[in-house]
Amino acid sequence: MNAVTDAILNPAIGWSVLAGFSVLWVFLGWYWGRNADALDDYVLAGRRVGLALGVATAMATWVTSNTTMAAPQIALQMGVWGMFGYSLGAVGLMMFAPLAGRIRRLMPGGYTSGDFVRLRYGKTAWRVFLVISLCYSLGWLVSMGMAGGVLINALTGIPYHYGMTVILAICVSYTLLGGFRAVIGTDFVQAVLILVGVVLIAVLAIGNIGFEAIHSAALERRPELLNLLMPAAIMFLFNNLLFGVGEIFHSNVWWSRAFSFREGVGGKAYLLAGLLWAPIPIVAGFIALPVPALGLNVPAADMVGPLVAANILGATGAVLVLIMVFSALSSSLDSLLAATSILVVEDIYRRHINPAADAPTLRRATSRVIVGLGLLTWMLCAPRIATLAELLYFTGAFVASTIWPIAAGLFLRRANTAGAITGMVVGSAAGLYSYFAIGFYVAALVGAAVSMLCVIIGIIAAPASFEWRLLSEPEPAKEHAA
Amino acid sequence: MALPIVLALACTHGAFAQSGDPVTLTSDTEIATAGYFQLLWEAAEPIRLVESTTADFDDPHTVYEGSDSGHTVSGRADGTLFYRLESAATGAVLVEPVRVVVAHHPIARAFTFFGVGALVFVATAMLILIGIRTADDGTERAARSTR
């Protein structure tokens, strides 16, 4: 299904590259995480991450299957606006910069985004939020597991299921060994590899084919890709921006970093990461535009990035792409595994199942949840039910509905519980409806708009008067020491 | 609109090659409102994917030849497209044609969504900017004074 039969790399070369980098990631994971025995060290890197590592981990995590695989897909489907629309995902990182500082100050002992929603809006809103956040996390995990399988199949011909299994197994292994320290450390190495790889491929693509040939072939065979008034692409622009904002505002991947950064680092780190990330989707998306000039067959839209790169650059280029995208996928998968595991442990295990759990128990539970999440992701990846972008934007309906409950909850005392719950539930429902009725490129936009209305109506109808000090609660170890 | 298609399909039906394995050709949508769609097929032999703007393939155009099992179409203007599979070896038609209509969303609808998205973005940005300037919990002022 959707398979390529003429892969550019020999499977033996593919397995060798995967084996080499797998050993490297697992070794680094073990090395960086070998002293992380305490709960705070394991799940939040001791809350002492500095600016350089902070920028690298935020940028590398945001460069994911989204950027390296789905950005070319969107460019192939939506054309020039697709590329630029994708880069608007950087706005989410930049808008989170002021939130990161405020989160760190309001919740110095916080662990998860779920902690915030529970303390700010109460248990019902918290449970609604957890459903949304866990659905999104699984969707993102599955999209990246799928991306790994698709990439390896496109470049080496290794069957989808083998590649997907290898990627998941490696990321689970080193996240398990090293916890959040390993995630942040490997993110730094992976960020460098990703940046070098993307720039090199784009430069070589332009050099090998030329702008004129790319432009004239696209104009002749796929003219709408160059049409600045392509309707779906226009609808996609703010949808992608709001999807990115929703992803970052609600996800524990970004909150856990806000908690782990040293005081004063979060705002600068997110702002710089956003600025550095913004050009990457444009460069990655550009890789899809030579398809008409090359006369290349693209069996499934999400395969276009690696197929074009391998076609233009030959075997060496294919190895380069394999390393680059393997790094991108790993940097996001490990972050998501780490952040989702602590969300499950803190918000479900400790708060619902075992409130008396001490820090060592929570540390062991986190390891088990990482393995469990890996297995669950594998089971959901196996059927390969949608393309990457379709799966990813399906979650957009949910996450965009959390933008206003989170942002208003952080800055407005008057934001109330009813408005937040209604915003998340009705916003998600409206986003899902528009996903199926219109297309994936409006789901987040509709979800965010409806949710915003609900929150504003709630503030006007029954303004709350929230006490900010209620957001500060002791850490688990200190709770039990007291 | 449907009658000529049915007639064309009936006329070409007799020309389909007979083979042991069933050959299928499907599209993931019948109406492509975003200008892109995916064609998927199953065939035991290398094939030729042929496109035409007419049901009787008056203007055939080969878009792919080989052993892959799918093809992504994108960037197409409004119109009706027909696809069929031919054997790469013999040229025999292997399966009934598939029809896909490309009908982009109206531009007014596109700009309505654009406007709503812009409104939500500006409102969210203002909420954060004003929130930072007027934060009333004291933490922002304390943080500024220590820098």
Side-chain angles (χ1 to χ4, degrees):
Chain A
M1 183 177 71
N2 303 339
V4 291
T5 53
D6 303 318
I8 196 154
L9 283 180
N10 185 310
I13 297 175
W15 283 120
S16 303
V17 171
L18 289 179
F21 276 86
S22 299
V23 169
L24 178 65
W25 298 150
V26 173
F27 170 74
L28 291 176
W30 165 79
Y31 181 77
W32 276 316
R34 66 193 188 284
N35 296 322
D37 292 326
L39 180 65
D40 256 19
D41 275 338
Y42 191 66
V43 302
L44 292 177
R47 301 181 193 263
R48 291 188 300 273
V49 177
L51 185 61
L53 279 178
V55 173
T57 189
M59 199 205 74
T61 301
W62 205 220
V63 179
T64 169
S65 58
N66 309 13
T67 324
T68 50
M69 304 277 284
Q73 174 185 347
I74 295 294
L76 181 72
Q77 293 171 329
M78 305 266 185
V80 176
W81 275 138
M83 289 158 53
F84 285 100
Y86 222 104
S87 75
L88 292 178
V91 174
L93 280 175
M94 291 188 270
M95 286 176 79
F96 194 67
L99 271 65
R102 186 162 171 83
I103 289 165
R104 189 75 167 80
R105 287 190 291 276
L106 288 176
M107 302 178 67
Y111 274 90
T112 69
S113 49
D115 283 341
F116 167 74
V117 177
R118 175 174 51 81
L119 295 167
R120 179 65 179 83
Y121 293 121
K123 289 192 172 176
T124 305
W126 173 48
R127 285 174 182 141
V128 171
F129 176 82
L130 282 181
V131 170
I132 289 174
S133 193
L134 290 173
C135 282
Y136 162 77
S137 297
L138 267 181
W140 195 9
L141 275 170
V142 171
S143 79
M144 285 186 289
M146 281 173 54
V150 170
L151 163 81
I152 293 168
N153 174 250
L155 292 180
T156 68
I158 292 171
Y160 164 80
H161 289 92
Y162 292 178
M164 179 268 289
T165 305
V166 167
I167 292 260
L168 284 176
I170 296 309
C171 291
V172 166
S173 300
Y174 78 79
T175 308
L176 194 63
L177 279 171
F180 204 59
R181 279 182 190 280
V183 169
I184 287 186
T186 49
D187 275 358
F188 188 82
V189 179
Q190 288 154 352
V192 173
L193 288 171
I194 294 161
L195 277 177
V196 171
V198 168
V199 172
L200 202 58
I201 290 166
V203 168
L204 289 171
I206 293 168
N208 285 4
I209 305 175
F211 267 121
E212 182 53 37
I214 293 170
H215 179 261
S216 56
L219 199 60
E220 182 191 339
R221 290 171 216 162
R222 303 192 187 221
E224 290 295 307
L225 296 184
L226 304 179
N227 180 6
L228 296 182
L229 290 176
M230 183 181 180
I234 291 170
M235 295 154 89
F236 172 75
L237 283 175
F238 275 106
N239 182 78
N240 196 58
L241 187 153
L242 293 169
F243 179 37
V245 173
E247 281 184 283
I248 291 174
F249 276 26
H250 97 283
S251 172
N252 200 47
V253 168
W254 310 101
W255 282 68
S256 60
R257 279 165 175 70
F259 292 128
S260 72
F261 293 160
R262 267 202 316 264
E263 180 83 37
V265 165
K268 293 174 201 158
Y270 279 108
L271 189 62
L272 280 173
L275 291 171
L276 284 171
W277 184 88
I280 295 176
I282 296 176
V283 180
F286 180 81
I287 292 169
L289 293 185
V291 164
L294 293 168
L296 190 65
N297 182 53
V298 181
D302 51 7
M303 289 173 148
V304 66
L307 281 177
V308 172
N311 189 280
I312 293 173
L313 308 175
T316 309
V319 171
L320 190 69
V321 174
L322 190 57
I323 293 169
M324 183 193 73
V325 185
F326 187 36
S327 301
L329 290 169
S330 305
S331 69
S332 304
L333 261 171
D334 60 10
S335 301
L336 199 52
L337 281 169
T340 308
S341 63
I342 186 60
L343 187 73
V344 171
V345 169
E346 167 69 6
D347 288 88
I348 295 178
Y349 177 69
R350 186 164 89 94
R351 298 288 173 185
H352 285 91
I353 298 168
N354 186 4
D358 57 11
T361 306
L362 295 174
R363 163 77 169 77
R364 284 193 298 277
T366 305
S367 299
R368 289 181 190 135
V369 171
I370 289 171
V371 175
L373 279 173
L375 287 172
L376 182 60
T377 305
W378 187 90
M379 286 191 283
L380 294 171
C381 283
R384 199 182 169 188
I385 48 173
T387 69
L388 292 174
E390 285 166 352
L391 179 67
L392 203 63
Y393 283 97
F394 181 78
T395 64
F398 296 97
V399 300
S401 73
T402 65
I403 294 173
W404 267 72
I406 294 282
L410 274 169
F411 289 108
L412 300 177
R413 287 178 189 275
R414 292 171 296 157
N416 70 18
T417 301
I421 294 174
T422 315
M424 289 190 281
V425 173
V426 180
S428 295
L432 276 181
Y433 172 77
S434 61
Y435 178 94
F436 290 109
I438 300 170
F440 77 83
Y441 37 86
V442 293
L445 193 161
V446 172
V450 171
S451 172
M452 182 180 84
L453 273 180
C454 293
V455 171
I456 291 173
I457 290 169
I459 290 171
I460 295 168
S465 181
F466 185 75
E467 291 291 334
W468 298 116
R469 62 181 171 76
L470 295 176
L471 289 174
S472 183
E473 65 176 0
E475 295 165 33
K478 293 173 186 167
E479 275 182 22
H480 289 91
Chain B
M1 188 67 193
L3 185 60
I5 298 164
V6 172
L7 287 174
L9 294 180
C11 291
T12 53
H13 187 73
F16 296 151
Q18 300 296 310
S19 103
D21 296 319
V23 178
T24 60
L25 172 64
T26 55
S27 167
D28 64 352
T29 184
E30 292 176 0
I31 302 173
T33 50
Y36 66 83
F37 53 93
Q38 184 188 20
L39 297 165
L40 290 168
W41 60 84
E42 289 181 17
E45 59 178 310
I47 55 85
R48 186 180 302 128
L49 177 68
V50 178
E51 178 189 274
S52 175
T53 54
T54 63
D56 50 2
F57 285 79
D58 284 339
D59 57 346
H61 165 61
T62 300
V63 291
Y64 170 68
E65 184 171 333
S67 301
D68 287 354
S69 54
H71 177 73
T72 302
V73 181
S74 68
R76 305 302 293 266
D78 285 355
T80 304
L81 299 167
F82 297 85
Y83 294 91
R84 73 183 183 195
L85 289 183
E86 297 175 357
S87 165
T90 65
V93 177
L94 297 174
V95 69
E96 291 186 1
V98 164
R99 172 180 180 261
V100 181
V101 176
V102 178
H104 287 273
H105 292 288
I107 196 73
R109 181 187 296 168
F111 277 113
T112 302
F113 278 99
F114 182 88
V116 171
L119 183 69
V120 176
F121 167 63
V122 170
T124 310
M126 283 178 63
L127 166 70
I128 294 170
L129 289 174
I130 295 170
I132 293 167
R133 293 176 68 88
T134 60
D136 54 359
D137 60 299
T139 56
E140 270 69 17
R141 284 190 295 275
R144 275 195 294 270
S145 67
T146 58
R147 282 174 204 152

